[in-house]
Amino acid sequence: MTIAAGNWSPLTPMPGMDDSEFERWASLLEKRTGVVVPLARKAFLVTSVRGRMRETGRASFEEYFSELHRGADGAIEWTTLVDRLTVHETHFFRHPPSMDLIANDWLRCLPEKTKQAALHAWSVGCSSGEEAYTLAMVLDRHLTATTAAKVYFGVTATDVSLPALAVGRAGLYPRQKIEEIPIQYRERYCELVDGDSFRISEALRKRVGFASFNLLDAARAPLKRLDLIFCQNVLIYFARDRRRELLATFANLLKPGGLLVLGSGEVTNFAHASLRRVDNRNVLAFLRNS
Ligand SMILES: C[S@@+](CC[C@H](N)C(=O)[O-])C[C@H]1O[C@@H](n2cnc3c(N)ncnc32)[C@H](O)[C@@H]1O
C-alpha cells in the first residue's frame, strides 16, 4: 500500500477523534469481527488506530478509514490493524477448574470406543496458543493415563490475529510463562531453550494446528463432529445476540456426547435444545445430547 505520508512527520500532532468518528471505527470492527468496543473504551480504540497511523505515516482518520476499504492493499492493512484492535491476553492453565472438568469428569466418562476413534478439540480465539497447548497437555496426559491403547487426538486453534497465530505455531514462550504450567506438565511437555525462553515439545506441537479463522464465519467452519469446543474470554467482546448465534453454531458442530466449555462470563441464561448444562458450579460447560 502506498503510504499517505503527505506532509506528515513524527512531530505532526495526531488528530482527535470525535464520537461520531469513533462510532464509524467501532462499527467497522464489529462488522468485520463481531468485537464491540463501547464508548467507555474509546481511548483503547483511538490509541490503537493512532499507533498504526504513526507507524505508517498516516495523518488522517478519514483517509486511513477509506484506505482500509480499498482493494487487496486495504485487506492486507486490515490484517495488521485488527491485531491492534483486539485483546490477546492469555495464559497457560488460565482456568484450572475447566481443565479439571475435562480431565477428571469428561475424559474419564467417555466410552472407550470414542477415545479410540481419535478426539478432536477446537480452541476458539486461541490468541498466541497457550490455551490450545494447555488442552493438548491435558488431553495427552490423561488419555495416556486412562487408556491402554495409543489414542490419537488433535487440537485446532483459530484466531483472527496473524501475529498471535505465528507465536502459537512457533510454540516458543518467554521463560517466566513456564511458571503458569503445573510442574507435572512442565517436565513432560516443555523444553528450556535458553535463559529467556522455553518451547513446547515437538511431539505436542504436532498435535496442535493453528489457522486463521474469523468466528463470524463459524456457520461455514470446515470443522464438524467435534469432541470438545473450548471458548473462553472471546464471546465477552461480542454483542449478546451474536453470542447466542455462535453458541447455537457450536452446538451443531459438536458430536453427541461432545463438550462445550465456556468462560464463566461468556453468556448468561443460555439454553439450547441439543445441549445440557454440566453440573459444576465452577465451570460453565454443556454436553451435546446423544
Ligand atoms: C482475550 S483473547 C482470549 C485467548 C484465550 N481464549 C484465553 O482465554 O486465554 C481473545 C482472542 O479472541 C480473538 N478474536 C476476537 N474476535 C475474533 C473473531 N471474530 N474470530 C476469531 N478470533 C477472534 C482475538 O484475536 C484474541 O486473540
Side-chain angles (χ1 to χ4, degrees):
M1 168 175 280
T2 45
I3 292 175
N7 294 327
W8 186 89
S9 91
L11 299 177
T12 307
M14 277 283 152
M17 190 186 271
D18 64 24
D19 286 354
S20 68
E21 184 69 23
F22 164 76
E23 286 303 333
R24 210 152 77 105
W25 283 89
S27 306
L28 177 68
L29 182 66
E30 185 176 4
K31 196 170 130 219
R32 292 191 175 184
T33 66
V35 170
V36 176
V37 182
L39 191 56
R41 295 198 69 235
K42 178 176 167 184
F44 163 77
L45 183 140
V46 176
T47 308
S48 308
V49 176
R50 271 198 193 134
R52 181 62 190 156
M53 285 168 58
R54 264 204 193 90
E55 271 173 29
T56 54
R58 295 178 172 96
S60 145
F61 286 125
E62 290 82 359
E63 275 173 33
Y64 186 29
F65 190 89
S66 304
E67 283 179 50
L68 287 169
H69 290 79
R70 228 172 274 146
D73 286 346
I76 291 168
E77 175 55 24
W78 175 254
T79 62
T80 303
L81 184 65
V82 73
D83 172 65
R84 313 293 171 85
L85 293 175
T86 41
V87 176
H88 302 291
E89 185 187 343
T90 185
H91 303 279
F92 291 100
F93 290 84
R94 185 170 191 176
H95 189 241
S98 298
M99 295 303 152
D100 292 344
L101 174 88
I102 291 170
N104 301 330
D105 300 337
W106 182 64
L107 281 179
R108 258 183 229 276
C109 299
L110 273 184
E112 203 60 28
K113 77 172 179 6
T114 307
K115 285 193 256 184
Q116 284 170 15
L119 292 184
H120 189 185
W122 182 18
S123 165
V124 181
C126 63
S127 189
S128 38
E130 288 85 333
E131 176 183 281
Y133 286 127
T134 300
L135 286 171
M137 289 182 206
V138 169
L139 292 175
D140 188 68
R141 182 156 185 269
H142 291 273
L143 285 171
T144 319
T146 55
T147 328
K150 184 124 185 77
V151 180
Y152 179 78
F153 73 88
V155 180
T156 298
T158 63
D159 204 281
V160 274
S161 164
L162 299 184
L165 289 166
V167 174
R169 260 181 219 114
L172 189 67
Y173 296 96
R175 174 77 185 262
Q176 61 274 21
K177 273 206 155 236
I178 208 168
E179 304 296 333
E180 298 171 4
I181 304 175
I183 191 82
Q184 63 276 26
Y185 292 96
R186 227 186 274 179
E187 284 168 350
R188 197 155 160 180
Y189 303 110
C190 303
E191 296 157 0
L192 290 179
V193 173
D194 51 36
D196 297 329
S197 46
F198 74 97
R199 194 189 287 277
I200 302 298
S201 72
E202 190 186 355
L204 204 75
R205 275 187 280 130
K206 282 186 175 157
R207 300 290 192 163
V208 183
F210 288 90
S212 162
F213 182 72
N214 190 333
L215 262 181
L216 295 191
D217 299 326
R220 293 183 294 281
L223 299 165
K224 53 181 186 269
R225 292 188 58 78
L226 293 162
D227 296 281
L228 172 62
I229 299 179
F230 197 93
C231 181
Q232 294 197 333
N233 307 298
V234 177
L235 299 185
I236 46 167
Y237 298 104
F238 286 44
R240 188 186 299 233
D241 289 350
R242 185 99 71 182
R243 295 182 200 190
R244 285 168 190 277
E245 278 169 28
L246 278 167
L247 291 170
T249 304
F250 292 163
N252 291 331
L253 293 175
L254 278 176
K255 252 185 199 167
L259 181 69
L260 169 63
V261 181
L262 303 173
S264 54
E266 227 79 44
V267 70
T268 44
N269 299 324
F270 168 72
H272 187 281
S274 315
L275 299 174
R276 64 181 187 283
R277 174 86 201 259
V278 173
D279 184 15
N280 183 313
R281 63 193 168 93
N282 298 314
V283 185
L284 181 58
F286 299 85
L287 277 168
R288 167 90 200 230
N289 298 329
S290 305

